[in-house]
Amino acid sequence: MTTHKTVIDLHSHWFAPSTLDILGRRAEAPRIGRQGDELAIWRTGAGAGKGGAFPLGAQWYDLQTRLTHLDHVGIAHQLLSWPTTLGVDAALPFADTQDLWTQWNNDTAALVAQHPDRFSAVAALSTDNLAWSAKELERGHEQLGLIGGVLPVNGFFSRRSAEAFRGIFEVAQAHRSHIYLHTGFASPKVHGQPPDILHDDNEALRWVIDNGFCFASAVATLAFTDFLAPFPDVTIQIAMLGGTALGALAAEQAVVSPRVQAGPLREHFKQIWLDTGAAGSGTAAVAAAVRVLGSERIVFGSDYAPVPDIRPTLERVRAATATDPDGQKSVLFWNAQQLLARHGVQVAAQE
């Protein structure tokens, strides 16, 4: 049974047909191949797991599987992005990825054109060739109908690393882009990123802690330096609730600290939204972020594709906002509706 579509999901990933083909032809990680009866992707670096393989269910690449699930759980619209978590960009030189990014952007734009009421998208960009990425972001806006680009959050770990992306942000300002920061490392050419730690104990929990630190550091770079000052028309979405709400809590501490004297949080976050992706969907974390930043700075994100079922995330976010019905509607729909409208995407409310 199809439910009323009352939620906008700004954190979801998919693999275009060209992705399966291009990574499927690789013999070494990162590559896509068969693992038993299903597809899997073999990754490299921290977070890849001991075997390096991550299973890919049909939701990653089968459109009908996705649409059926969205209808079932009540998702009106999804923002599609490349999953920087997989580390392809950081692991391979531009010569080995240009076709991958170009074709993903072409295929994704075609999907959006086919289903504009259900999907919008941001472009996949290279961090190994930032000049190309600035041009590709421009192409995404002018030729493909994309609304911005996705970049790995560790590229904004420090002001030093963020400076590498100034050219991309200049194009983003000209086109009033939406820039999405998602888990992962940029190319080693980008200096000032955090260390890539390979843990030998409780890797999953260590990853959560490391991830929170990296995301919160990006929040500090973008909310508490003047990096964004020349780019007032660019909107920023930071995944995983800015580090499982660590970014929001650090921001609160900055405001009350006599050493920082940061000023009102509203000013620091006027261009920034945090989404409730997998590592930021805990009930306590969502409630803390809403309390500190206000419900208007939080948007729903399911992390759909690596997360095959949106319902548990949706239930946790609803539980975190249950005492504030208007705030809950803001997080689940209104904030994203207004944000997308700024970028020319209209999503009608369906009650």
Side-chain angles (χ1 to χ4, degrees):
M1 183 180 74
T2 301
T3 64
H4 293 296
K5 301 180 182 70
T6 57
V7 179
I8 296 175
D9 180 4
L10 294 189
H11 184 157
S12 69
H13 310 294
W14 92 296
F15 279 155
S18 58
T19 305
L20 302 182
D21 176 49
I22 293 170
L23 291 182
R25 287 189 263 114
R26 286 186 54 82
E28 297 180 353
R31 68 179 181 88
I32 288 176
R34 285 278 170 187
Q35 187 177 52
D37 295 331
E38 293 190 336
L39 289 175
I41 184 165
W42 278 259
R43 301 172 289 161
T44 61
K50 297 191 185 313
F54 186 91
L56 303 175
Q59 74 278 0
W60 275 96
Y61 53 84
D62 185 80
L63 179 59
Q64 193 53 55
T65 296
R66 180 180 293 259
L67 287 172
T68 298
H69 186 63
L70 300 189
D71 286 343
H72 184 67
V73 300
I75 303 296
H77 189 92
Q78 273 191 332
L79 178 69
L80 304 175
S81 61
W82 172 264
T84 57
T85 322
L86 300 177
V88 175
D89 179 45
L92 297 176
F94 177 68
D96 292 345
T97 57
Q98 180 178 4
D99 191 43
L100 179 67
W101 309 137
T102 301
Q103 294 305 319
W104 189 92
N105 292 336
N106 291 344
D107 286 353
T108 303
L111 175 60
V112 170
Q114 184 181 6
H115 299 278
D117 57 327
R118 303 308 301 273
F119 302 112
S120 51
V122 289
L125 302 173
S126 168
T127 60
D128 195 58
N129 188 330
L130 295 170
W132 176 88
S133 290
K135 294 178 181 177
E136 184 69 358
L137 178 60
E138 188 170 59
R139 185 177 81 95
H141 281 284
E142 295 180 355
Q143 299 180 30
L144 300 181
L146 305 179
I147 68 170
V150 61
L151 291 167
V153 73
N154 290 351
F156 297 83
F157 181 79
S158 65
R159 177 60 184 270
R160 181 188 182 198
S161 61
E163 283 297 325
F165 298 94
R166 184 164 292 275
I168 290 176
F169 271 73
E170 288 170 352
V171 173
Q173 172 63 18
H175 290 277
R176 301 172 63 89
S177 293
H178 184 61
I179 299 298
Y180 185 28
L181 302 187
H182 188 260
T183 314
F185 282 84
S187 164
K189 291 180 180 179
V190 177
H191 300 292
Q193 297 187 75
D196 190 1
I197 304 172
L198 293 170
H199 295 288
D200 59 5
D201 68 331
N202 207 330
E203 182 182 13
L205 180 58
R206 299 290 187 187
W207 181 86
V208 171
I209 295 169
D210 291 347
N211 205 42
F213 171 52
C214 293
F215 270 99
S217 297
V219 169
T221 298
L222 295 171
F224 292 94
T225 76
D226 63 355
F227 176 80
L228 288 178
F231 316 115
D233 298 319
V234 177
T235 58
I236 306 293
Q237 178 185 337
I238 303 179
M240 310 302 186
L241 214 62
T244 321
L246 181 58
L249 294 172
E252 179 185 48
Q253 187 60 38
V255 169
V256 302
S257 171
R259 298 178 60 188
V260 180
Q261 298 180 335
L265 280 179
R266 185 178 299 273
E267 278 299 303
H268 291 281
F269 284 83
K270 62 186 177 182
Q271 292 174 248
I272 300 172
W273 286 259
L274 308 183
D275 79 48
T276 63
S281 63
T283 301
V286 174
V290 168
R291 177 184 62 79
V292 173
L293 299 179
S295 59
E296 66 273 14
R297 305 324 306 169
I298 312 301
V299 292
F300 180 74
S302 68
D303 216 342
Y304 182 71
V307 175
D309 187 348
I310 294 173
R311 286 170 295 186
T313 302
L314 193 52
E315 289 169 4
R316 289 192 295 271
V317 173
R318 283 178 169 148
T321 55
T323 60
D324 180 7
D326 286 343
Q328 184 177 94
K329 290 179 181 178
S330 293
V331 171
L332 295 180
F333 192 91
W334 292 338
N335 296 340
Q337 182 189 44
Q338 294 169 14
L339 182 55
L340 291 172
R342 292 177 59 163
H343 301 285
V345 178
Q346 305 300 324
V347 183
Q350 300 181 44
E351 297 294 343

